[in-house]
Amino acid sequence: PAPAATAPASPPARGTLRFNFRGAPLETVLNYMSDAAGFIIVLETPVRGTVDMWSSQAVSREEAVQLLNQALNKNGYSASVQGRSLIVSSKDDAKKKNIPIRTGNDAQEIPMNAELVMQIIPLRRIDATQAARDLATLIPGSATLTANQDSNSLVVTDTNINLKQVVSDRKS
């Protein structure tokens, strides 16, 4: 059977979207985000992969972007919103662009979403180089981790969800 990729028969209420994607190509979901949420989709890389996400309840535009980012991350991509544009690039390319940079080591301050960010994590009771070695095996291969000796901090680029785990696991 063909993958199900359906949008609602009638447009959703203003400001809300309905997701019903089962085995849908990423391109179908991006088309829906353009049609239903008004995004201008900018592909900086060709996208491949499928999406499985559905909800019987409407989601906000912001929630839709976070859900899309989760699907994109699983397929090696990342999305960022710049005005009305939704820019899709490979995770490797996204890490080299203008992504949010935060400082801190409180896991409670890190949102539970799939946005790609750089987090500077100050350490107090452990050497940054040793911490980087210890954590290197625990982070996904798509993340970057560097130790900054001068400030005794770690610099990690990954999704908020993964960063929350790293900060929770750290032994500073």
Side-chain angles (χ1 to χ4, degrees):
T6 59
S10 59
R14 183 144 179 84
T16 61
L17 303 160
R18 293 220 183 253
F19 272 39
N20 185 16
F21 300 105
R22 297 170 198 245
L26 277 170
E27 190 173 308
T28 300
V29 180
L30 292 170
N31 285 337
Y32 177 70
M33 291 294 284
S34 177
D35 291 343
F39 282 111
I40 299 164
I41 307 298
V42 179
L43 294 181
E44 294 187 340
T45 187
V47 293
R48 290 181 186 86
T50 58
V51 175
D52 288 299
M53 66 172 78
W54 55 91
S55 172
S56 57
Q57 301 298 314
V59 297
S60 70
R61 192 173 189 252
E62 293 76 22
E63 289 171 318
V65 170
Q66 291 307 320
L67 289 167
L68 174 64
N69 238 335
Q70 286 177 340
L72 288 169
N73 276 304
K74 288 180 185 176
N75 287 282
Y77 308 106
S78 181
S80 63
V81 176
Q82 295 176 11
R84 282 189 53 216
S85 296
L86 186 66
I87 313 227
V88 179
S89 54
S90 72
K91 280 175 93 172
D92 287 339
D93 287 346
K95 286 190 255 184
K96 299 171 189 165
K97 296 190 180 210
N98 190 15
I99 61 172
I101 300 173
R102 286 195 314 259
T103 301
N105 55 19
D106 184 355
Q108 297 297 322
E109 293 180 8
I110 299 173
M112 281 297 286
N113 63 41
E115 180 183 17
L116 190 65
V117 297
M118 180 182 292
Q119 179 89 20
I120 300 167
I121 306 168
L123 302 175
R124 289 182 293 260
R125 295 182 293 270
I126 187 170
D127 176 67
T129 303
Q130 183 61 46
R133 274 190 232 118
D134 294 345
L135 289 171
T137 59
L138 301 176
I139 64 170
S142 60
T144 59
L145 169 67
T146 351
N148 183 312
Q149 273 308 115
D150 293 338
S151 64
N152 198 42
S153 59
L154 298 174
V155 180
V156 184
T157 304
D158 203 351
T159 62
N160 279 321
I161 292 168
N162 291 341
L163 281 166
K164 193 172 191 73
Q165 185 66 41
V166 168
V167 171
S168 295
D169 288 348
R170 71 167 170 65
K171 296 174 181 130
S172 58

